[in-house]
Amino acid sequence: MAFDGLTIYALTNEFKEKLIGGRIDKIHQPEKDEVVLHIRTMENKFKLVLSASSAHPRIHFTEISKKNPQTAPMFCMLMRKHLIGAKIIGIEQEGLDRILKLIFETRNEMGDVVQITGIIEIMGRHSNFIVVDQDGRIIDSIKRVDDTMSSVRPILPGMRYVLPPAQDKLLLTEASPEEMVDAILHGKDVPLSKAILNAVQGVSPLVCREIANYVFLGDDCVVSEMNDDRKDRLRFYLGRVQDMVKNHSGIPTAISDSKGKPQDFSFLDIHQYGAAMVSRQYESYS
């Protein structure tokens, strides 16, 4: 999916600039797998969507108001109990994974200052929004996962929160372009875009195809067809993407077909579709 770790990295920077110090005014749950936080800062008000939809998991600002159920779901009531009035004191991404943590400061029933963390995991049909106390134990989640659903990682109230199994991939923000090229070339002899996806964390198939498109001048050939010139092009483009991510210099870009229907989005210009798609830039990733 286009909503990859690098896009979340860019979103995290945007959220930090706008939301740190903000307080939760309202909480709604318009869908069974979607929560909307109404956040008030000194300068503005925001509505933040946290969606654990199997088809379209995401986190972003919105100006759209959905109709809410007359009776709030139990998860929404629990969120209101713990988070109304809470202050956002931190926003963290887990590596370059599609996991974002919203750290809140609030008071418990005894009046003590405590921290609560809301964790949005954007992982296709395994997506979830999990609320964790300061001791690392799950208060509740928008999707409960019991032993019959997952013997590896059940998610239930009272259990200790554990991260999903780690992937053996290089972090694009930490590994050098040379290290990434070496890992890509020493993997399986598959199309370059797939080799990049297998070796580097945080990149979507869309971004991998865009890198391969640059390296092979429009094609996506297998790794064994890489010559010295193509290796240099791969090293250069990986370095360019790395600088763009680290310096937050990416530009929110959406790709639409000739009828104006959105097809893809990213933090960089997309050229792999040629004249078949129209590119448009935005001020915000949301």
Side-chain angles (χ1 to χ4, degrees):
M1 62 187 299
F3 209 114
D4 60 12
L6 298 186
T7 300
I8 294 175
Y9 188 86
L11 265 170
T12 301
N13 184 61
E14 189 173 320
F15 292 154
K16 285 179 178 179
E17 290 179 350
K18 296 180 179 180
L19 297 181
I20 295 295
R23 293 189 180 272
I24 307 300
D25 262 352
K26 302 176 186 176
I27 301 174
H28 291 133
Q29 189 176 344
E31 310 283 350
K32 66 177 183 178
D33 50 13
E34 181 180 301
V35 168
V36 180
L37 304 181
H38 294 247
I39 302 166
R40 171 178 43 85
T41 68
M42 295 292 289
E43 298 83 18
N44 216 327
K45 292 182 179 180
F46 301 94
K47 285 190 290 186
L48 184 67
V49 174
L50 302 162
S51 175
S53 162
S54 297
H56 303 291
R58 62 203 187 279
I59 176 171
H60 59 86
F61 293 125
T62 185
E63 296 180 358
I64 297 172
S65 295
K66 287 186 176 181
K67 185 177 180 180
N68 297 300
Q70 289 185 343
T71 302
M74 289 298 295
F75 180 75
C76 183
M77 295 295 289
L78 187 71
M79 289 277 289
R80 290 173 178 174
K81 174 185 174 182
H82 288 281
L83 293 180
I84 290 293
K87 180 181 179 181
I88 300 175
I89 61 171
I91 302 174
E92 301 173 357
Q93 183 181 12
E94 186 65 35
L96 283 179
D97 214 337
R98 290 176 292 172
I99 300 174
L100 190 66
K101 298 178 179 179
L102 303 173
I103 304 169
F104 304 95
E105 185 179 82
T106 186
R107 292 185 180 272
N108 61 17
E109 294 175 343
M110 303 296 293
D112 299 322
V113 176
V114 295
Q115 286 188 11
I116 291 177
T117 303
I119 305 169
I120 180 77
E121 299 181 347
I122 300 173
M123 299 178 174
R125 64 188 181 90
H126 298 295
S127 298
N128 210 339
F129 179 55
I130 306 163
V131 184
V132 178
D133 68 18
Q134 64 181 9
D135 297 320
R137 296 199 175 273
I138 297 169
I139 297 173
D140 209 344
S141 58
I142 205 165
K143 295 178 184 177
R144 292 186 178 182
V145 181
D146 60 27
D147 291 334
T148 63
M149 302 165 70
S150 173
S151 59
V152 177
R153 190 172 174 255
I155 299 172
L156 294 170
M159 298 189 70
R160 185 165 294 278
Y161 174 79
V162 294
L163 290 166
Q167 295 179 314
D168 186 22
K169 296 183 179 183
L170 295 175
L171 276 178
L172 185 137
T173 49
E174 295 181 4
S176 68
E178 290 76 15
E179 289 173 321
M180 287 186 280
V181 170
D182 187 63
I184 291 165
L185 297 182
H186 285 84
K188 294 181 179 178
D189 189 23
V190 294
L192 179 60
S193 61
K194 188 172 182 179
I196 298 169
L197 191 66
N198 292 337
V200 182
Q201 186 185 39
V203 290
S204 64
L206 173 71
V207 172
C208 293
R209 292 196 305 270
E210 189 63 24
I211 297 172
N213 180 75
Y214 176 85
V215 172
F216 288 111
L217 303 176
D219 295 318
D220 186 5
C221 299
V222 295
V223 172
S224 58
E225 296 183 36
M226 294 284 290
N227 55 30
D228 288 342
D229 179 61
R230 289 167 175 168
K231 291 176 186 177
D232 287 341
R233 291 175 67 83
L234 175 60
R235 189 177 298 107
F236 168 79
Y237 202 85
L238 285 169
R240 178 172 175 246
V241 173
Q242 187 179 64
D243 288 342
M244 193 181 300
V245 172
K246 284 184 174 182
N247 298 323
H248 301 291
S249 59
I251 299 175
T253 302
I255 308 297
S256 302
D257 63 20
S258 58
K259 296 181 180 179
K261 184 178 180 180
Q263 299 294 322
D264 255 323
F265 60 90
S266 188
F267 59 93
L268 47 73
D269 287 333
I270 302 298
H271 301 284
Q272 61 193 265
Y273 299 114
M277 298 287 179
V278 178
S279 177
R280 178 183 172 186
Q281 296 181 343
Y282 292 81
E283 291 185 0
S284 166
Y285 287 95
S286 293

